[in-house]
Amino acid sequence: MFKLSIITDEISQDFERALDVALDMGLDCVELRTMWDQNIVNLEWDDVQRVKRMLKARGLTVSCLASPFLKCFLPHGRTITKKGDSFKARGETYEEHMKILARSIELAREFET
């Protein structure tokens, strides 16, 4: 079965407003990328718990994390003309992006997605 969801920051950086709009649209899940002008992978643990509480209060689940993983220049001399939009993520190097991957996996488990 397919579930329809929306990336919350496509609605607003105000996460609470984005969730309320998603509910008004009849959605039961959302995709997380940025909120409060921060990428999900950069949120402090208290803010992650705040996000979880806000989701639970509305009966919403997380369909996916829109991670900025590998939106960077690759190592080993590969030529890339432009760095991808990192959506407020801090990582610039390949090594930093390996840490983003680990954080993304940790968050995916936390959000049960």
Side-chain angles (χ1 to χ4, degrees):
M1 177 168 95
F2 291 97
K3 290 194 173 205
L4 183 62
S5 67
I6 190 165
I7 300 174
T8 58
D9 65 46
E10 295 289 338
I11 298 171
S12 175
Q13 283 296 315
D14 178 343
F15 189 62
E16 188 168 27
R17 181 181 184 307
L19 294 181
D20 290 341
V21 170
L23 277 179
D24 289 345
M25 294 171 62
L27 303 177
D28 59 357
C29 55
V30 294
E31 186 170 339
L32 305 179
R33 179 172 53 198
T34 67
M35 63 276 302
W36 311 303
D37 291 317
Q38 294 186 74
N39 192 284
I40 186 74
V41 299
N42 297 334
L43 289 182
E44 297 292 331
W45 200 248
D46 288 345
D47 287 326
V48 170
Q49 297 309 308
R50 178 178 169 208
V51 167
K52 285 180 65 176
R53 286 191 302 273
M54 294 170 79
L55 290 162
K56 184 176 182 179
R58 291 164 177 79
L60 292 168
T61 60
V62 177
S63 62
C64 182
L65 299 180
S67 167
F69 176 61
L70 283 185
K71 291 188 176 189
C72 65
F73 293 108
L74 296 176
H76 311 300
R78 295 182 184 169
T79 302
I80 298 175
T81 57
K82 183 180 176 188
K83 179 181 173 249
D85 187 343
S86 59
F87 295 96
K88 305 181 189 317
R90 297 184 192 125
E92 294 290 329
T93 67
Y94 180 78
E95 291 75 20
E96 290 170 318
H97 275 260
M98 294 310 292
K99 292 177 184 173
I100 287 173
L101 175 60
R103 176 68 169 162
S104 298
I105 292 168
E106 175 185 40
L107 290 170
R109 288 181 178 142
E110 186 66 19
F111 287 106
E112 299 179 13
T113 190

